[in-house]
Amino acid sequence: MLLHITLGNPRKACRHFGICHIALWSGVPLGPRQCLAQVEGLPPGEEGIPFRFLRASLTTELILQHFTPYFRVEAPCPLPKQLGGGVILPGCYRVEWDEADAVAHFDGHPALTACEKQLLSRLNKRVNGAQQEILTQGC
């Protein structure tokens, strides 16, 4: 099952962080802030729903804004009924990169400790600076 994902906060006209909309992909071209993802299976005993965001559908800007170092969700995102319904809760979720794709683990446990939040804040400042440098150099 291939999903058409619009990144951003649904409460802020699909700007900022999170998943604004999820739909089954019907072959339509991707717009800005959109990408494709597949739902991953989980080993027995694990909970949640991992999304494999396909690298071929991600721009450098989307990667820097949404997948480094965590996937941040600012507002609840309902899952389509084809995925069993439910909601992705606000918080920061771990992202793992394999040879081609980013896997975000929406495991229902997004809360970070105060120490992790402080570290993430510092990392985001560095990432934002790196993002500006990449975008101004045209890489």
Side-chain angles (χ1 to χ4, degrees):
M1 178 181 334
L2 203 53
L3 302 173
H4 188 161
I5 310 267
T6 303
L7 298 173
N9 183 336
R11 295 178 181 169
K12 297 184 180 180
C14 296
R15 291 188 178 96
H16 304 288
F17 301 98
I19 297 178
C20 191
H21 184 73
I22 302 172
L24 294 179
W25 189 55
S26 59
V28 298
L30 298 175
R33 305 186 61 79
Q34 294 182 337
C35 59
L36 299 175
Q38 295 174 319
V39 176
E40 293 281 293
L42 282 173
E46 287 193 31
E47 60 182 69
I49 186 164
F51 279 35
R52 176 175 293 277
F53 290 88
L54 305 182
R55 174 60 181 103
S57 71
L58 295 171
T59 64
T60 301
E61 186 176 359
L62 288 178
I63 291 170
L64 290 172
Q65 184 174 6
H66 295 280
F67 296 91
T68 309
Y70 292 94
F71 191 94
R72 182 174 161 194
V73 176
E74 291 181 323
C77 175
L79 294 169
K81 63 182 175 185
Q82 295 91 341
L83 297 178
V87 174
I88 296 174
L89 299 173
C92 294
Y93 295 89
R94 66 188 166 105
V95 173
E96 292 176 354
W97 286 89
D98 62 19
E99 58 277 348
D101 305 320
V103 179
H105 298 269
F106 300 112
D107 59 6
H109 303 289
L112 298 175
T113 66
C115 181
E116 289 169 321
K117 286 180 184 176
Q118 185 179 18
L119 177 61
L120 181 58
S121 175
R122 279 188 260 144
L123 286 173
N124 279 339
K125 287 177 186 171
R126 278 189 255 153
V127 167
N128 288 340
Q131 175 185 4
Q132 288 300 325
E133 186 175 312
I134 287 171
L135 294 176
T136 56
Q137 292 176 1
C139 294

